[in-house]
Amino acid sequence: MTGEIVVVAGGGGFIGSHLVGALMREGRHVRAVDVKPLGEWFQVFDGVENLVADLKVHDHGHAACRGAGEVFQLAADMGGMGFIEHNKALCMLSVLTNTHMLLAARAAGVRRFFYSSSACVYNAEKQRSPDVVALTEEDAYPAMPEDGYGWEKLFSERMCRHFREDFGLETRVARYHNVYGPHGTWEGGREKAPAAICRKVIHAKHTGSPSIEIWGDGHQTRSFMYIEDCLRGTLAIARSEIREPINLGSSELVTINQLVDIAEEIAGVKLERRYNLSAPKGVNGRNSDNTRIRAELGWEPSIRLRDGMERTYRWIHDEYVRKYGD
């Protein structure tokens, strides 16, 4: 297996580029595929076959999978809650990418196909309170996922299942819960809460501003998974015999206000908070029930939010200074 081609679709993105690096360190022959021009990839590695292609196009999917034994399908048009709520059609068009990659993987005789789903597939009725009960894998049905992005993810999960059942393509599906870390989007509208809050705190500190804007009332609850835990879980699930979708997320639940507290502590500042109640804020509460992943793998994501946020803050700080100056 060491010599076979491993495809990372979305390999120029945040999680995808970290995954490319992890596979490279294993000595794998990696083909990274992304729609962005190579100069816009989040990370580029020497010794990788880098392919710029739009996987929503049928032929591009076949080119990406040619000769491959393993596929990690992470390519999607997505971002943080602001992007998801304002770009539902764009998010749903990722179904073309998933369809063409499944078809191409089947045609190429791919051995394993990993699909990155999302906690956005879960029934919204179970996420109305900040005092949320952690979501188990069964809570995706009856279906009432996040509009647009969540519906597309849930549909693509079912496609993976039926390609396995009908065509024998071994598919594995992980439901990611809020992945964050260095080398991610930190400005421009697609960034997620940890990066957005780090940027806001950094900007306030550098400009001398006494306050920052928070989307929602700050009482929304979430769990956030550091990228290293995401990589470990992704590789373990992809190589396991876990055939049903499974949670991949931290169970360390915090409010958005507590997330801001952490960023302020790292920065050594205390800021006034302006709450924008009309901004996109997503569900009121969401957390990962890790009972199944502990039973299946004897492991769960465990990197403390405070530790991951410190590394993320330092990286975003350096990027901010590089772009905007001291």
Side-chain angles (χ1 to χ4, degrees), residues 279-295:
K281 68 181 185 69
V283 296
N284 287 320
R286 178 182 291 156
N287 195 14
S288 178
D289 185 308
N290 288 345
T291 303
R292 183 171 294 175
I293 196 170
R294 286 196 303 268

Side-chain angles (χ1 to χ4, degrees), residues 145-164:
E146 187 85 41
D147 201 7
Y149 180 71
W151 275 109
E152 188 278 324
K153 287 292 187 183
L154 193 62
F155 176 80
S156 292
E157 283 189 6
R158 301 300 285 192
M159 273 207 299
C160 287
R161 173 178 177 170
H162 297 312
F163 265 69
R164 174 173 55 81

Side-chain angles (χ1 to χ4, degrees), residues 192-264:
K192 296 187 177 182
I197 287 170
C198 286
R199 185 200 72 244
K200 289 177 181 180
V201 170
I202 291 165
H203 180 73
K205 184 174 181 179
H206 276 261
T207 60
S209 172
S211 67
I212 58 171
E213 181 184 82
I214 306 298
W215 286 8
D217 60 12
H219 297 302
Q220 314 97 286
T221 52
R222 294 290 188 279
S223 66
F224 299 95
M225 175 173 54
Y226 191 63
I227 183 63
E228 288 179 10
D229 274 337
C230 179
L231 296 178
R232 179 175 175 182
T234 294
L235 291 170
I237 291 166
R239 295 162 182 172
S240 76
E241 296 308 309
I242 304 170
R243 289 184 158 186
E244 296 299 321
I246 189 168
N247 279 334
L248 181 54
S250 169
S251 59
E252 182 186 351
L253 188 69
V254 295
T255 66
I256 297 301
N257 278 328
Q258 289 172 325
L259 188 64
V260 177
D261 290 342
I262 291 171
E264 288 179 335

Side-chain angles (χ1 to χ4, degrees), residues 77-79 81 84-85 87-94 98 115-124 127 140-141 143-158 175 286:
D77 206 346
M78 59 84 67
M81 189 49 60
I84 288 172
E85 288 201 6
N87 295 276
K88 294 182 177 70
L90 278 180
C91 288
M92 293 204 77
L93 283 172
S94 293
N98 300 321
Y115 175 61
S116 61
S117 186
S118 166
C120 288
V121 303
Y122 284 115
N123 189 314
Q127 303 172 76
Y141 295 94
M144 193 185 294
E146 187 85 41
D147 201 7
Y149 180 71
W151 275 109
E152 188 278 324
K153 287 292 187 183
L154 193 62
F155 176 80
S156 292
E157 283 189 6
R158 301 300 285 192
R175 291 173 178 161
R286 178 182 291 156

